[in-house]
Amino acid sequence: MSTGGRKGKACQSNMGPLNRVIANSVPFMPKSLIGRVGRRYAAGEELEDAVRVVEGLSKEGCLATVGMLGEHAPDERHTRGKLDEYRQALDALEKQGFKGYRVAVKLTDLGLTLDRELCRKNLEEILLHARQRARFLEVDMEESPFVSDTLDMVLDMHERHGNTGAVVQAYLRRTLEDVQRLVEARIPVRLVKGVYVESREVAYRDYDIIRENYVLLLEELLRGGIYVGIATHDEYLTWHALRLIHRMGLTKDQYEFQMIMGVQEELRRILVEAGHRVRVTVLFGKDWYEYSLRRLKENPKIAGYVTRDVLGSLAQFAGPRSAFEGWPRRI
Ligand code: FDA
């Protein structure tokens, strides 16, 4: 498969000089500037902000998955707080009667780095709360040291309760094997490129290889009869997905496209208008500062995307305003 002349586009690990400057200066940036990242990728600080955004999306014909900002819980108390917040989120979304909404969690936010058993119990509690409402719980995939635990836990929960699915990252060398296991378990899968910076031992770093692996994995999943969340903003991959869907004669209830709020909105509209199911991830929460810092420091590409935004709006940036002026975000 040719990747359409994109050779030389940034590898996973390449950092342009401007991105490098931004990533290195993150700790010294004013909070208000960091807030622009949070504002770009999150609905707001409160659950009501997320509900408002989901409402807008549903009017546009999109489905939504609501997730909370935050990862790497510092202690058990924090995870108990998160459980309450997830229950409230499920209750609020249910009350609004939104069709096909889902909730997403990160296992490190539920205590995976503290105590595996605590994390498993927390996950099961949210899962059961979701199941009582006939809702599906997505479990995000995090850095490579957590992949095995996450897949084991998700597969176990899927076997016992049903209403959950796995996420796999196309940049990981192990994923083809994982996909075979997931196909055997007949579990729904979200396929992503992968957002964390990983070593060459565990992950492909070349942009073209990651794309080719994405297409290979997608084909394995679809041919295995798995319901796939095709999570990408890369139109090259979207085209490949459409090609496979066409060739395999799949119907529109056998897959869905997934995107992140605020990214590639035009492509999103094109897919909705063509009658495809499109799901948008809507994040909210108070941990926007820590979340944004991590994203900026970890992934130079995000620094690049945000640079464009920040430079574009720097002219309007006037002194010590609230970082979240203009929130809650509306679609
Ligand atoms: P690529 O990065 O090449 O982006 C294609 C184009 O989309 C870019 O050129 C740019 O225009 C635009 N774009 C992409 N990302 C952007 C951004 N952040 N801001 C602005 N513009 C952007 N990862 C992970 O490791 N675990 C997970 O659980 C998830 N979950 C997840 C859910 C959903 C719904 C999506 C869409 C993505 C994830 N990801 C993820 C992130 C994923 O791994 C990947 O890092 C991003 O989707 C970017 O890769 P693309 O496939 O979009 O291609």
Side-chain angles (χ1 to χ4, degrees), residues 6 9 12 40-41 106 138-143 167 169 171 190 192-196 207 211 214 230-235 237 258-260 262-264 279-281 299 301-302 305-306 308-309:
R6 293 292 295 272
K9 171 154 184 172
Q12 188 69 22
R40 176 110 171 64
Y41 298 114
K106 283 190 166 47
E138 299 186 355
V139 181
D140 292 343
M141 189 53 82
E142 302 178 70
E143 296 97 317
V167 177
Q169 298 154 321
Y171 65 11
R190 180 203 307 159
V192 301
K193 281 185 183 169
V195 76
Y196 303 94
Y207 189 77
R211 272 180 159 180
Y214 192 106
I230 306 162
T232 182
H233 315 99
D234 183 348
E235 192 163 2
L237 293 181
Q258 297 187 355
M259 296 193 184
I260 292 171
V263 179
Q264 289 280 3
R279 176 178 303 280
V280 179
T281 295
N299 196 335
K301 274 171 74 179
I302 292 189
Y305 297 140
V306 174
R308 276 207 307 255
D309 281 5

Side-chain angles (χ1 to χ4, degrees), residues 40-254:
R40 176 110 171 64
Y41 298 114
E45 293 196 1
E46 307 298 334
L47 173 58
E48 300 83 68
D49 300 329
V51 168
R52 232 186 327 266
V53 171
V54 174
E55 196 175 358
L57 285 166
S58 114
K59 284 185 189 143
E60 259 186 48
C62 293
L63 301 166
T65 292
V66 175
M68 258 171 254
L69 296 174
E71 47 211 346
H72 296 274
D75 50 40
E76 190 177 343
R77 205 171 127 252
H78 175 101
T79 71
R80 278 201 301 275
K82 275 292 155 100
L83 280 189
D84 286 342
E85 289 184 65
Y86 274 108
R87 282 195 210 98
Q88 284 163 21
L90 278 159
D91 293 347
L93 293 163
E94 195 64 26
K95 200 168 146 207
Q96 296 294 324
F98 295 131
K99 271 200 208 140
Y101 76 84
R102 294 176 174 181
V103 168
V105 296
K106 283 190 166 47
L107 291 191
T108 65
D109 204 26
L110 299 182
L112 185 62
T113 51
L114 302 170
D115 172 357
R116 204 178 172 280
E117 189 47 30
L118 166 77
C119 175
R120 204 194 59 74
K121 271 197 203 140
N122 286 340
L123 175 63
E124 190 157 40
E125 237 184 282
I126 302 177
L127 206 76
L128 290 175
H129 201 78
R131 201 175 72 162
Q132 282 159 11
R133 286 148 190 79
R135 294 298 162 186
F136 189 92
L137 189 79
E138 299 186 355
V139 181
D140 292 343
M141 189 53 82
E142 302 178 70
E143 296 97 317
S144 57
F146 308 118
V147 171
S148 292
D149 275 349
T150 304
L151 287 180
D152 289 350
M153 235 179 255
V154 169
L155 280 164
D156 175 49
M157 292 291 161
H158 177 258
E159 198 179 319
R160 288 190 295 122
H161 306 297
N163 57 324
T164 190
V167 177
V168 289
Q169 298 154 321
Y171 65 11
L172 290 188
R173 293 175 189 272
R174 59 175 284 170
T175 300
L176 186 55
E177 241 172 76
D178 289 334
V179 156
Q180 279 150 14
R181 194 171 159 212
L182 297 171
V183 168
E184 262 170 46
R186 322 242 19 100
I187 182 172
V189 169
R190 180 203 307 159
L191 177 60
V192 301
K193 281 185 183 169
V195 76
Y196 303 94
V197 176
E198 298 286 357
S199 72
R200 190 170 174 199
E201 277 71 40
V202 299
Y204 301 112
R205 290 181 154 190
D206 182 272
Y207 189 77
D208 291 344
I209 296 178
I210 296 168
R211 272 180 159 180
E212 292 198 29
N213 203 39
Y214 192 106
V215 178
L216 171 68
L217 298 166
L218 180 61
E219 187 159 359
E220 290 282 318
L221 288 163
L222 291 176
R223 291 208 185 282
I226 296 300
Y227 186 87
V228 186
I230 306 162
T232 182
H233 315 99
D234 183 348
E235 192 163 2
Y236 177 83
L237 293 181
T238 309
W239 178 82
H240 264 286
L242 293 172
R243 182 184 63 89
L244 276 173
I245 288 161
H246 171 72
R247 287 265 167 89
M248 292 171 63
L250 297 181
T251 52
K252 288 182 168 131
D253 56 358
Q254 290 178 286

Side-chain angles (χ1 to χ4, degrees), residues 7-28:
K7 289 259 183 308
K9 171 154 184 172
C11 304
Q12 188 69 22
S13 62
N14 273 0
M15 223 194 265
L18 186 55
N19 291 355
R20 190 182 302 116
V21 170
I22 292 193
N24 289 340
S25 54
V26 162
F28 311 106

